Amino acid sequence: MTNDAQTLLILGASGDLTARLLLPGLGALLAAGDAPPLTLVGAGMDEWDADHWRKRVVDAFGDHGTAEQAAKVIEESTYAQADVTKAEDLRRLLDGAERPVIFFALPPAITAKACEALTEVDLPEGTRLVLEKPFGTSASSAASLNRLLTRLVPEEQVHRVDHFLGKSTVLNILGVRFANRIFEPLLTSEHVESVEIVFDEDLALEGRAGYYDHAGAMSDMIQSHLLQILAMLTMEAPLTLDPQEFRDKTSEALRATRLWGGDAKESSVRARYTAGELNGRQLPAYAEEKGVDPSRETETLAEVTLAVDNWRWAGVPFTLRSGKAVANSRKEAIITFKAAPRVPGGLHGHDAPNRLRIGFGPDMLALDFTVNGPGDPLELDPVTWDVDFGPGDLPPYGEVLRGVFDNDPMLSVRGDAAEQCWRIVEPVAAAWRAGEVPLLEYPAGSAGPDSPTRTDG
Ligand SMILES: O=P(O)(O)OC[C@H]1O[C@@H](O)[C@H](O)[C@@H](O)[C@@H]1O
């Protein structure tokens, strides 16, 4: 941890992201004693006084707020009403800030305007820019935003946040693959039949129409988070976790990734939930949720099958899927191995595939395989070995902020990777816009629409 004093300036301080994820992550980091001496400044359109802002911070920090450094940060924290798309307001906010971290907790269009305005401001030494997903809305808008950012600070000082990279089991993929000899030699097209990366949630829209109705499941989850997991699962071993080296490897994997079979009609599914009951809650149809424009045809569940077209993975389908309001929600990467080439005659009874599963909530690792089980010694039975990791020391936003304060961009998405992620999903988005893939329906609280690629279990 660096001991240089820093200022965390949150643009969009009154928003949902700040209260729900960013401040709780900061509180946990401060309570863990892992943050530098910090000044916290909130800025937003709302006319708040400092007391109102501090109360929001206290609420968001929860129990962490009583830790010594957290209490000090709260006490000294200030709030400024500002139009963050105006250079004069940004200049005022940055006046006297030490090595500022500017966190854009804002929608993409406002972030782009705020960055534009920053080109007219002399940025203090050591300024870092932290941008939320979605980073742009297409490969070309992401490329323009990247060009704009290079006019502000060097790439190592740009942190494109993907909080999935701060999740402990996502980071655990590195240890599972590259610190063991057991799994890595099997992770090739010779042994792997298929891979699924599934993040189904029992959460529904939860009042986020303003953002979600313009994003939909593919931009919200697949284009960002699930492609990052795919990159971690398919990358070659980095020499070190030096950010340049690590991100070269993940970018290389993304560059090899394209739509399976090249036809979105065959390789994608889109759907949205209708009314239903989920965990005792009656949910309205998505189209009837407050703030939703039904004519937009926003999907609440997306599934895309991809190929990672390189020597190691050619021929293995990778299916990425995420849905809202799904019952028994699964959050796992499931690597399904090919069957044993031949089971000796005489062994009988069970032929379920071997699987390695990496869970992203609950955080766990499991291996499903076949043994001669109890009873009849020649009858085969399935067994599962699993490891429960429990939560990481810090919530994902705590990890992300630790990287930013330490000037370590490893957990942030590099500019070229952000463009690649859009490039991968664009043929699907185009086919959806053209109506080539039907928008299916599934009742909230069901398992989602039927999909030929689906593995239940
Ligand atoms: O499970 P987590 O860590 O909250 O992440 C899932 C969330 O990730 C966010 O980035 C998405 O915008 C949400 O729609 C989603 O619910």
Side-chain angles (χ1 to χ4, degrees):
M1 179 186 70
T2 163
N3 274 322
D4 296 337
Q6 305 188 26
T7 300
L8 173 60
L9 169 62
I10 302 178
L11 308 182
S14 46
D16 170 68
L17 173 81
T18 302
R20 215 165 36 85
L21 295 165
L22 179 52
L23 289 174
L26 177 65
L29 186 66
L30 289 166
D34 233 356
L38 200 70
T39 305
L40 174 64
V41 180
M45 294 298 259
D46 294 75
E47 269 182 58
W48 288 356
D49 61 17
D51 285 343
H52 184 83
W53 162 244
R54 280 188 209 120
K55 163 100 179 43
R56 301 266 298 194
V57 182
V58 169
D59 290 347
F61 279 12
D63 291 347
H64 296 312
T66 53
E68 195 183 332
Q69 197 189 355
K72 184 163 181 293
V73 165
I74 295 170
E75 196 189 316
E76 293 170 1
S77 177
T78 54
Y79 176 84
Q81 191 191 5
D83 178 347
V84 300
T85 62
K86 298 245 159 60
E88 64 268 28
D89 283 22
L90 290 165
R91 221 171 272 126
R92 176 169 54 86
L93 289 169
L94 287 166
D95 188 29
E98 289 178 287
R99 298 169 33 72
V101 168
I102 307 178
F103 203 118
F104 298 83
L106 298 166
I110 317 262
T111 297
K113 282 193 190 150
C115 289
E116 192 70 57
L118 276 179
T119 59
E120 295 168 39
V121 177
D122 275 336
L123 294 177
E125 168 114 27
T127 298
R128 278 136 297 155
L129 307 177
V130 189
L131 288 92
E132 271 294 330
K133 61 129 250 236
F135 183 81
T137 49
S138 60
S140 67
S141 63
S144 327
L145 191 50
N146 278 333
R147 281 193 295 278
L148 179 55
L149 293 170
T150 55
R151 290 166 55 199
L152 299 174
V153 294
E155 171 66 27
E156 315 77 73
Q157 289 165 228
V158 179
H159 295 255
R160 295 172 194 78
V161 171
D162 189 304
H163 79 280
F164 271 43
L165 291 177
K167 283 186 187 268
S168 58
T169 37
V170 174
L171 289 171
N172 264 330
I173 293 173
L174 293 173
V176 169
R177 290 192 58 198
F178 302 128
N180 292 288
R181 206 165 175 133
I182 302 171
F183 303 113
E184 188 56 17
L186 296 179
L187 296 182
T188 72
S189 58
E190 194 186 340
H191 301 288
V192 174
E193 180 79 43
S194 63
V195 178
E196 280 175 279
I197 303 173
V198 182
F199 203 92
D200 282 341
E201 300 179 274
D202 53 14
L203 292 176
L205 183 59
E206 316 300 337
R208 295 168 74 212
Y211 154 71
Y212 193 88
D213 203 37
H214 293 262
M218 189 160 68
S219 292
D220 184 46
M221 294 298 295
I222 293 188
Q223 182 275 335
S224 48
H225 304 319
L226 301 197
L227 280 175
Q228 294 305 317
I229 297 178
L230 173 116
M232 300 271 279
L233 279 175
T234 55
M235 69 195 273
E236 296 302 325
L239 289 178
T240 68
L241 294 188
D242 165 85
Q244 179 70 17
E245 166 69 18
F246 172 74
R247 299 193 299 173
D248 280 351
K249 295 295 183 201
T250 48
S251 284
E252 188 180 77
L254 291 169
R255 281 201 303 276
T257 302
R258 63 199 85 255
L259 189 60
W260 179 262
D263 181 356
K265 288 197 281 301
E266 300 297 321
S267 301
S268 72
V269 177
R270 58 177 184 141
R272 71 176 166 192
Y273 64 82
T274 53
E277 188 187 324
L278 180 58
N279 299 340
R281 280 202 297 166
Q282 286 300 331
L283 292 172
Y286 175 80
E288 275 147 35
E289 293 261 25
K290 192 160 166 257
V292 165
D293 172 359
S295 68
R296 294 187 66 85
E297 295 213 325
T298 301
E299 78 288 353
T300 59
L301 182 145
E303 181 180 297
V304 178
T305 302
L306 302 171
V308 179
D309 219 354
N310 58 19
W311 186 282
R312 180 195 277 262
W313 292 112
V316 179
F318 287 78
T319 300
L320 278 52
R321 164 194 155 108
S322 182
K324 296 246 182 235
V326 174
N328 304 322
S329 50
R330 289 158 64 216
K331 298 176 179 171
E332 319 186 290
I334 305 142
I335 298 163
T336 302
F337 293 95
K338 291 181 175 166
R342 182 173 182 278
V343 178
L347 283 178
H348 55 89
H350 178 75
D351 60 359
N354 301 158
R355 286 196 183 125
L356 175 64
R357 293 183 282 122
I358 302 168
F360 308 115
D363 293 350
M364 62 91 195
L365 183 71
L367 188 64
D368 303 323
F369 61 110
T370 303
V371 293
N372 302 12
D376 177 345
L378 298 183
E379 175 149 352
L380 298 171
D381 283 304
V383 287
T384 296
W385 283 354
D386 56 7
V387 187
D388 183 355
F389 291 121
D393 287 346
L394 287 176
Y397 268 82
E399 286 294 350
V400 164
L401 283 171
R402 172 156 56 189
V404 177
F405 294 142
D406 281 352
N407 296 324
D408 179 356
M410 181 194 145
L411 296 188
S412 96
V413 178
R414 204 169 60 189
D416 59 316
E419 290 176 37
Q420 286 298 325
C421 290
W422 284 115
R423 194 260 313 147
I424 293 165
V425 299
E426 270 177 1
V428 181
W432 290 6
R433 269 195 310 275
E436 289 169 19
V437 178
L439 179 66
L440 307 177
E441 294 190 332
Y442 60 98
S446 69
D450 288 339
S451 145
T453 48
R454 193 102 195 273
T455 313
D456 285 310

